[in-house]
Amino acid sequence: MAKLLADPPSSSIHGYRLRVVFTTFVVLSMAALFAAAWALRTLLLVTFLAMLLAIVLRYLGDLVHRATGMKPHWGVLLVAALLVALAGGAAVLVAPTIGDQARQLVQRLPAAVNSLEQRIAQISWLQFLWDQLSSGLSLPSPSDAMGSVGSVIGSVSAAFGYAGLALVGALFLALDPGLYRRGFVRLVPVRHRLFTQSLLDELDQTILNWLGGQLILMVTIGVLVGLGLWAIGVPYALALGLFAGLVEFIPYLGPILSAGTAILVALGTDPQLALWTVGLFVLVQQGENNILQPLIQKSQVEIPPVLLIVVLFGMGLLFGVPGVLVATPLLAVVIVVVRRVYVERILEGRDIGAEPPRT
């Protein structure tokens, strides 16, 4: 009897060894997966961007299909051709003016920074306050800060170039999405395939809602800022309005970049004009926060602001500006997956495979 208690059965030892081997395998596999994801981070970001664009192209192609009766893939090609034609027309008609204003704006920014430094130096209490803030918070000088802003602006412009690179991949995805969708669903066990299809439908709708809302915000903010700056007499209003619309894609940081650049340009022209510019951006932001955002967010996934800020900074540290650009839609996708798979299906045990996608 004592010998039986002292020597555990060989089957228990064998099971323990199998669990250790399995756990080690899982840990090593996860480490290898993260290492591969880090090495291929740029490719993964471009792929995700291509998926976003593919969903939009397919949606527009389906609209053309329902309106004209042509096959969906021909509708996608027609939409892509129209987008290329619009881009080409804009490049011919508007790009020279915007390019000229942008070049003049970049050349004028250093002079505007020097003017700001001189105006601060002329006011003793303001110079004292700036010195105290700079030493206490380790703030850079306006010239150094302007250099950082310039690099950020350049990085944002380069990051938007990824859209062109991803467009080719998006076109192939949009032409036959069922091929990739069916392949993904077949990787899932049979009992979960109906739920997986429902989840993919909801993710498509989530991305469409988010991109549609962002497009409305970008166009609206760009037009309002451009017209407002032109009305009050700020130079390079067209370029500044276009820049404000583009960086609106980046939550929180985008409005700060656009407002700071416009205020700096106005300050280099006339201090009173800078005050009008501040008032314009305050008015535009109030309209966005109190009118546009509530209307748009009704059809979007609710994202906690603190969580979004953390993810934005994290994606920025890990992947740079491209990571910031895709942080919000990626977080929206993760929230839907966590809610549907982990909360509703695993924790609450709901049999929701046959439910229609939520909108």
Side-chain angles (χ1 to χ4, degrees):
M1 187 66 167
K3 184 176 180 181
L4 289 176
L5 293 174
D7 299 330
S10 59
S11 59
S12 299
I13 297 176
H14 181 67
Y16 173 76
R17 290 175 177 173
L18 286 178
R19 287 194 296 272
V20 170
V21 171
F22 178 75
T23 303
T24 303
F25 174 77
V26 170
V27 171
L28 293 178
S29 299
M30 292 297 294
L33 182 62
F34 280 116
W38 176 256
L40 301 174
R41 58 190 182 277
T42 302
L43 176 62
L44 293 176
L45 288 176
V46 172
T47 301
F48 183 71
L49 183 59
M51 293 171 62
L52 297 180
L53 296 175
I55 292 174
V56 176
L57 286 176
R58 188 65 184 189
Y59 174 74
L60 297 176
D62 287 340
L63 291 180
V64 174
H65 162 67
R66 289 194 291 268
T68 64
M70 67 172 56
K71 293 183 178 180
H73 65 273
W74 287 113
V76 170
L77 291 175
L78 178 61
V79 169
L82 289 175
L83 291 177
V84 172
L86 287 175
V92 172
L93 298 176
V94 183
T97 303
I98 296 178
D100 183 59
Q101 289 195 10
R103 283 191 297 270
Q104 295 180 27
L105 177 61
V106 171
Q107 294 172 358
R108 182 166 179 170
L109 283 178
V113 173
N114 293 330
S115 176
L116 175 61
E117 291 178 330
Q118 292 173 5
R119 294 181 188 278
I120 291 177
Q122 291 174 359
I123 305 174
S124 57
W125 66 268
L126 190 58
Q127 181 66 46
F128 174 78
L129 180 61
W130 176 257
D131 292 339
Q132 294 300 316
L133 287 174
S134 300
S135 59
L137 300 177
S138 300
L139 295 176
S141 66
S143 300
D144 295 337
M146 193 60 237
S148 301
V149 171
S151 63
V152 170
I153 293 174
S155 298
V156 170
S157 302
F160 274 101
Y162 281 106
L165 184 62
L167 185 59
V168 176
L171 186 60
F172 283 103
L173 287 172
L175 287 174
D176 191 7
L179 174 65
Y180 308 97
R181 186 186 180 103
R182 289 190 300 270
F184 179 78
V185 171
R186 293 194 66 180
L187 296 176
V188 179
V190 175
R191 65 182 183 277
H192 299 306
R193 288 181 181 176
L194 187 60
F195 166 76
T196 302
Q197 292 174 353
S198 174
L199 178 61
L200 291 177
D201 289 337
E202 184 173 354
L203 292 178
D204 282 351
Q205 192 62 49
T206 298
I207 292 174
L208 279 175
N209 290 341
W210 183 83
L211 286 175
Q214 284 301 120
L215 182 60
I216 293 173
L217 283 177
M218 292 170 66
V219 172
T220 304
I221 297 301
V223 170
L224 290 177
V225 169
L227 290 177
L229 293 176
W230 171 79
I232 63 178
V234 177
Y236 320 119
L238 183 60
L240 290 171
L242 177 62
F243 179 66
L246 289 176
V247 297
E248 183 66 25
F249 195 84
I250 308 174
Y252 303 116
L253 181 61
I256 295 174
L257 281 174
S258 60
T261 305
I263 292 170
L264 192 60
V265 172
L267 187 62
T269 304
D270 183 4
Q272 186 175 359
L273 189 59
L275 294 177
W276 282 101
T277 305
V278 172
L280 170 66
F281 274 91
V282 170
L283 185 62
V284 169
Q285 284 302 310
Q286 288 299 313
E288 178 184 358
N289 295 334
N290 297 310
I291 299 176
L292 291 176
Q293 287 284 8
L295 292 175
I296 292 173
Q297 287 177 349
K298 289 181 179 179
S299 61
Q300 292 183 338
V301 175
E302 184 177 355
I303 300 177
V306 175
L307 179 60
L308 178 57
I309 292 174
V310 171
V311 172
L312 282 171
F313 275 98
M315 292 291 288
L317 291 174
L318 291 176
F319 305 107
V321 175
V324 175
L325 293 178
V326 302
T328 307
L330 183 60
L331 179 58
V333 168
V334 171
I335 288 176
V336 172
V337 173
V338 170
R339 187 189 72 232
R340 294 274 279 159
V341 176
Y342 181 70
V343 176
E344 295 181 357
R345 197 169 179 87
I346 296 178
L347 294 183
E348 299 176 358
R350 299 187 194 178
D351 186 12
I352 52 179
E355 289 185 2
R358 303 180 182 185
T359 58

